[in-house]
Amino acid sequence: AQSVSQHNHHVILSEAASLELGCNYSYGGTVNLFWYVQYPGQHLQLLLKYFSGDPLVKGIKGFEAEFIKSKFSFNLRKPSVQWSDTAEYFCAVTNQGGKLIFGQGTELSVKP
Amino acid sequence: GAVVSQHPSWVICKSGTSVKIECRSLDFQATTMFWYRQFPKQSLMLMATSNEGSKATYEQGVEKDKFLINHASLTLSTLTVTSAHPEDSSFYICSAIPGRGSYEQYFGPGTRLTVT
Protein backbone atom coordinates (compact mmCIF):
# COMPACT_ATOMS: atom_id res chain seq x y z
CA ALA A 1 0.00 0.00 0.00
CA GLN A 2 1.07 3.55 -0.60
CA SER A 3 2.56 5.35 2.35
CA VAL A 4 4.31 8.61 3.15
CA SER A 5 6.86 8.97 5.89
CA GLN A 6 8.04 12.22 7.42
CA HIS A 7 11.18 11.76 9.43
CA ASN A 8 10.82 14.51 11.95
CA HIS A 9 7.89 14.83 14.31
CA HIS A 10 8.91 18.15 15.83
CA VAL A 11 11.64 20.50 14.68
CA ILE A 12 12.75 23.51 16.69
CA LEU A 13 14.86 26.18 15.01
CA SER A 14 15.99 29.70 15.67
CA GLU A 15 15.14 32.44 13.21
CA ALA A 16 17.45 32.59 10.19
CA ALA A 17 18.39 28.94 10.52
CA SER A 18 18.08 26.71 7.49
CA LEU A 19 15.31 24.16 7.28
CA GLU A 20 15.08 20.75 5.70
CA LEU A 21 12.13 18.45 6.33
CA GLY A 22 12.39 14.91 5.09
CA CYS A 23 9.67 13.08 3.19
CA ASN A 24 9.82 9.61 1.69
CA TYR A 25 7.07 7.76 -0.07
CA SER A 26 6.52 4.21 -1.11
CA TYR A 27 5.00 3.83 -4.53
CA GLY A 28 6.65 2.59 -7.66
CA GLY A 29 4.50 4.23 -10.27
CA THR A 30 3.90 7.79 -11.38
CA VAL A 31 3.21 10.08 -8.45
CA ASN A 32 2.34 13.67 -7.83
CA LEU A 33 3.89 15.19 -4.74
CA PHE A 34 2.78 18.02 -2.49
CA TRP A 35 3.78 19.93 0.58
CA TYR A 36 1.02 21.57 2.60
CA VAL A 37 1.28 23.90 5.56
CA GLN A 38 -1.23 24.33 8.35
CA TYR A 39 -0.74 27.44 10.46
CA PRO A 40 -2.19 27.37 13.98
CA GLY A 41 -5.95 27.54 13.77
CA GLN A 42 -6.00 27.74 10.00
CA HIS A 43 -6.74 25.38 7.15
CA LEU A 44 -4.35 23.57 4.89
CA GLN A 45 -2.55 25.63 2.30
CA LEU A 46 -0.51 24.37 -0.60
CA LEU A 47 3.18 25.28 -0.39
CA LEU A 48 4.33 23.61 -3.57
CA LYS A 49 3.71 20.68 -5.84
CA TYR A 50 5.55 18.43 -8.25
CA PHE A 51 3.87 16.78 -11.20
CA SER A 52 6.69 16.42 -13.71
CA GLY A 53 9.66 18.26 -15.20
CA ASP A 54 12.34 20.05 -13.18
CA PRO A 55 12.76 18.06 -9.95
CA LEU A 56 13.60 21.22 -8.03
CA VAL A 57 10.32 22.91 -7.30
CA LYS A 58 9.91 26.39 -5.90
CA GLY A 59 6.86 27.28 -3.87
CA ILE A 60 5.46 30.16 -1.94
CA LYS A 61 7.13 32.01 0.93
CA GLY A 62 10.64 30.98 -0.10
CA PHE A 63 10.13 27.24 0.20
CA GLU A 64 11.48 24.73 -2.28
CA ALA A 65 11.54 20.96 -2.57
CA GLU A 66 13.59 18.49 -4.53
CA PHE A 67 12.17 15.31 -6.00
CA ILE A 68 14.76 12.53 -6.05
CA LYS A 69 13.13 9.61 -7.79
CA SER A 70 15.86 7.11 -6.97
CA LYS A 71 15.45 7.82 -3.27
CA PHE A 72 11.66 8.13 -3.33
CA SER A 73 12.12 11.42 -1.55
CA PHE A 74 10.64 14.91 -1.73
CA ASN A 75 12.37 16.97 0.95
CA LEU A 76 11.26 20.49 1.79
CA ARG A 77 13.83 23.23 2.27
CA LYS A 78 14.05 26.88 3.19
CA PRO A 79 17.37 28.72 3.52
CA SER A 80 16.31 31.02 6.34
CA VAL A 81 13.23 30.47 8.46
CA GLN A 82 11.16 33.14 10.13
CA TRP A 83 9.05 33.07 13.27
CA SER A 84 5.97 33.21 11.02
CA ASP A 85 6.93 29.82 9.55
CA THR A 86 5.86 28.17 12.79
CA ALA A 87 3.26 25.65 11.63
CA GLU A 88 2.54 22.02 10.85
CA TYR A 89 3.92 20.77 7.55
CA PHE A 90 2.48 17.82 5.68
CA CYS A 91 3.97 15.93 2.77
CA ALA A 92 1.44 14.17 0.55
CA VAL A 93 1.44 11.99 -2.51
CA THR A 94 -1.24 11.08 -4.98
CA ASN A 95 -1.20 8.46 -7.67
CA GLN A 96 -3.26 8.32 -10.80
CA GLY A 97 -6.29 7.48 -8.70
CA GLY A 98 -6.24 10.97 -7.28
CA LYS A 99 -6.40 10.06 -3.59
CA LEU A 100 -4.02 12.01 -1.40
CA ILE A 101 -1.98 10.09 1.13
CA PHE A 102 -0.55 12.30 3.86
CA GLY A 103 2.53 11.89 5.95
CA GLN A 104 2.33 12.14 9.71
CA GLY A 105 3.19 15.81 9.70
CA THR A 106 6.11 17.76 11.12
CA GLU A 107 5.58 20.48 13.65
CA LEU A 108 7.99 23.35 13.11
CA SER A 109 8.62 25.78 15.94
CA VAL A 110 10.74 28.81 15.14
CA LYS A 111 12.15 30.76 18.07
CA PRO A 112 12.39 34.53 17.57
CA GLY B 1 -9.84 31.22 -7.29
CA ALA B 2 -10.52 27.60 -6.19
CA VAL B 3 -12.13 28.39 -2.87
CA VAL B 4 -13.77 25.69 -0.78
CA SER B 5 -16.01 26.50 2.15
CA GLN B 6 -17.40 24.38 4.95
CA HIS B 7 -20.38 24.93 7.16
CA PRO B 8 -20.57 24.97 10.07
CA SER B 9 -17.04 25.78 11.20
CA TRP B 10 -17.76 24.20 14.55
CA VAL B 11 -20.63 22.28 16.08
CA ILE B 12 -21.45 20.74 19.42
CA CYS B 13 -24.04 18.01 19.58
CA LYS B 14 -25.31 15.45 22.06
CA SER B 15 -24.65 11.74 21.80
CA GLY B 16 -27.18 9.96 19.63
CA THR B 17 -28.00 12.92 17.43
CA SER B 18 -26.98 13.44 13.81
CA VAL B 19 -24.94 16.28 12.41
CA LYS B 20 -24.65 17.43 8.80
CA ILE B 21 -21.55 19.18 7.49
CA GLU B 22 -21.59 20.95 4.14
CA CYS B 23 -18.69 21.37 1.74
CA ARG B 24 -19.04 23.81 -1.13
CA SER B 25 -16.79 24.75 -4.00
CA LEU B 26 -17.48 28.46 -4.40
CA ASP B 27 -15.94 29.33 -7.75
CA PHE B 28 -15.51 26.06 -9.58
CA GLN B 29 -17.31 22.83 -10.27
CA ALA B 30 -15.99 19.83 -8.43
CA THR B 31 -16.67 16.43 -9.88
CA THR B 32 -14.77 14.87 -7.00
CA MET B 33 -14.66 15.84 -3.35
CA PHE B 34 -12.87 14.15 -0.49
CA TRP B 35 -13.62 13.95 3.21
CA TYR B 36 -10.83 13.73 5.76
CA ARG B 37 -10.67 13.40 9.49
CA GLN B 38 -7.92 14.93 11.58
CA PHE B 39 -7.29 14.20 15.23
CA PRO B 40 -5.35 16.71 17.35
CA LYS B 41 -1.66 16.77 16.51
CA GLN B 42 -2.16 14.09 13.88
CA SER B 43 -2.30 13.85 10.13
CA LEU B 44 -5.31 13.83 7.85
CA MET B 45 -6.93 10.47 7.27
CA LEU B 46 -8.97 10.04 4.13
CA MET B 47 -12.48 8.85 4.96
CA ALA B 48 -14.16 8.75 1.60
CA THR B 49 -14.16 9.95 -1.98
CA SER B 50 -17.34 11.62 -3.17
CA ASN B 51 -18.20 11.75 -6.86
CA GLU B 52 -21.08 13.84 -8.12
CA GLY B 53 -24.10 11.74 -8.95
CA SER B 54 -22.74 8.46 -7.63
CA LYS B 55 -22.18 6.68 -4.37
CA ALA B 56 -19.21 7.62 -2.27
CA THR B 57 -16.23 5.30 -1.99
CA TYR B 58 -15.25 4.71 1.60
CA GLU B 59 -11.79 3.87 2.90
CA GLN B 60 -11.23 0.67 4.78
CA GLY B 61 -12.44 0.91 8.37
CA VAL B 62 -14.83 3.81 7.77
CA GLU B 63 -18.46 2.95 8.52
CA LYS B 64 -20.51 4.06 5.56
CA ASP B 65 -23.76 3.79 7.50
CA LYS B 66 -22.40 6.12 10.15
CA PHE B 67 -20.79 8.67 7.87
CA LEU B 68 -23.30 9.37 5.13
CA ILE B 69 -21.94 11.26 2.17
CA ASN B 70 -24.04 12.88 -0.51
CA HIS B 71 -22.63 14.72 -3.52
CA ALA B 72 -25.83 16.09 -4.95
CA SER B 73 -24.39 18.74 -7.21
CA LEU B 74 -21.10 19.83 -8.73
CA THR B 75 -20.60 22.37 -5.96
CA LEU B 76 -21.92 20.65 -2.86
CA SER B 77 -21.07 17.56 -0.86
CA THR B 78 -22.45 16.78 2.57
CA LEU B 79 -21.20 14.56 5.35
CA THR B 80 -23.75 13.43 7.92
CA VAL B 81 -22.48 11.89 11.12
CA THR B 82 -25.35 9.71 12.30
CA SER B 83 -25.96 8.69 15.91
CA ALA B 84 -22.88 10.59 16.98
CA HIS B 85 -20.74 9.38 19.88
CA PRO B 86 -17.99 11.21 21.77
CA GLU B 87 -15.36 9.23 19.85
CA ASP B 88 -16.64 10.89 16.67
CA SER B 89 -15.39 14.21 18.00
CA SER B 90 -12.78 15.38 15.55
CA PHE B 91 -11.85 17.89 12.89
CA TYR B 92 -13.50 17.08 9.57
CA ILE B 93 -11.98 18.55 6.43
CA CYS B 94 -13.20 18.39 2.88
CA SER B 95 -11.35 19.03 -0.34
CA ALA B 96 -12.35 19.35 -3.95
CA ILE B 97 -10.76 18.80 -7.33
CA PRO B 98 -11.73 21.21 -10.10
CA GLY B 99 -12.47 19.16 -13.18
CA ARG B 100 -11.39 15.80 -14.40
CA GLY B 101 -7.73 14.99 -14.82
CA SER B 102 -6.60 17.40 -12.12
CA TYR B 103 -4.69 16.11 -9.13
CA GLU B 104 -4.53 19.25 -7.04
CA GLN B 105 -7.00 19.33 -4.19
CA TYR B 106 -8.28 22.52 -2.63
CA PHE B 107 -9.11 22.27 1.02
CA GLY B 108 -11.91 23.70 3.07
CA PRO B 109 -11.25 25.31 6.45
CA GLY B 110 -12.57 22.31 8.35
CA THR B 111 -15.38 21.68 10.82
CA ARG B 112 -14.72 21.02 14.47
CA LEU B 113 -17.24 18.49 15.81
CA THR B 114 -17.61 17.96 19.54
CA VAL B 115 -19.99 15.27 20.75
CA THR B 116 -21.00 15.51 24.40
Side-chain angles (χ1 to χ4, degrees):
Chain A
Q2 243 181 330
S3 67
V4 179
S5 176
Q6 292 182 237
H7 313 306
N8 311 101
H9 180 64
H10 191 189
V11 173
I12 302 173
L13 295 173
S14 297
E15 275 194 317
S18 64
L19 169 73
E20 181 159 2
L21 301 182
C23 173
N24 285 90
Y25 64 94
S26 65
Y27 184 71
T30 302
V31 293
N32 302 303
L33 298 155
F34 305 83
W35 274 97
Y36 287 91
V37 61
Q38 188 174 32
Y39 296 103
Q42 297 188 28
H43 62 280
L44 277 175
Q45 299 176 39
L46 180 67
L47 271 181
L48 46 78
K49 61 189 176 186
Y50 173 80
F51 287 174
S52 64
D54 189 343
L56 185 61
V57 180
K58 294 194 182 298
I60 62 172
K61 304 186 181 185
F63 287 91
E64 65 178 31
E66 184 174 12
F67 170 53
I68 303 179
K69 189 175 181 179
S70 61
K71 295 184 178 180
F72 297 89
S73 70
F74 190 55
N75 292 354
L76 180 71
R77 299 194 290 251
K78 185 171 183 178
S80 176
V81 295
Q82 301 172 329
W83 176 79
S84 58
D85 293 323
T86 295
E88 188 89 18
Y89 292 82
F90 294 96
C91 179
V93 60
T94 182
N95 60 10
Q96 293 179 333
K99 293 195 297 186
L100 264 180
I101 308 298
F102 283 87
Q104 306 94 317
T106 297
E107 182 180 353
L108 172 65
S109 298
V110 180
K111 296 180 177 179
Chain B
V3 177
V4 176
S5 70
Q6 282 184 240
H7 178 80
S9 55
W10 61 271
V11 57
I12 302 173
C13 71
K14 293 186 177 181
S15 287
T17 62
S18 296
V19 175
K20 180 184 285 188
I21 302 170
E22 293 185 346
C23 175
R24 292 182 184 274
S25 56
L26 298 185
D27 51 2
F28 64 96
Q29 293 185 329
T31 52
T32 303
M33 289 183 170
F34 300 89
W35 286 96
Y36 297 85
R37 186 172 178 176
Q38 185 180 28
F39 290 103
K41 299 290 187 181
Q42 293 189 31
S43 187
L44 282 76
M45 298 296 294
L46 179 64
M47 298 175 65
T49 303
S50 169
N51 292 298
E52 187 267 336
S54 63
K55 290 184 178 180
T57 304
Y58 291 81
E59 294 299 300
Q60 193 171 10
V62 178
E63 299 175 61
K64 61 181 180 181
D65 294 330
K66 181 170 188 59
F67 298 100
L68 301 179
I69 291 173
N70 185 289
H71 195 155
S73 76
L74 286 171
T75 59
L76 173 65
S77 176
T78 60
L79 168 68
T80 301
V81 183
T82 63
S83 187
H85 289 117
E87 56 264 32
D88 298 326
S89 298
S90 190
F91 197 51
Y92 292 88
I93 303 171
C94 73
S95 70
I97 293 180
R100 301 191 187 280
S102 173
Y103 297 118
E104 184 172 346
Q105 297 183 23
Y106 295 89
F107 286 84
T111 297
R112 173 77 59 195
L113 170 63
T114 301
V115 184
T116 61

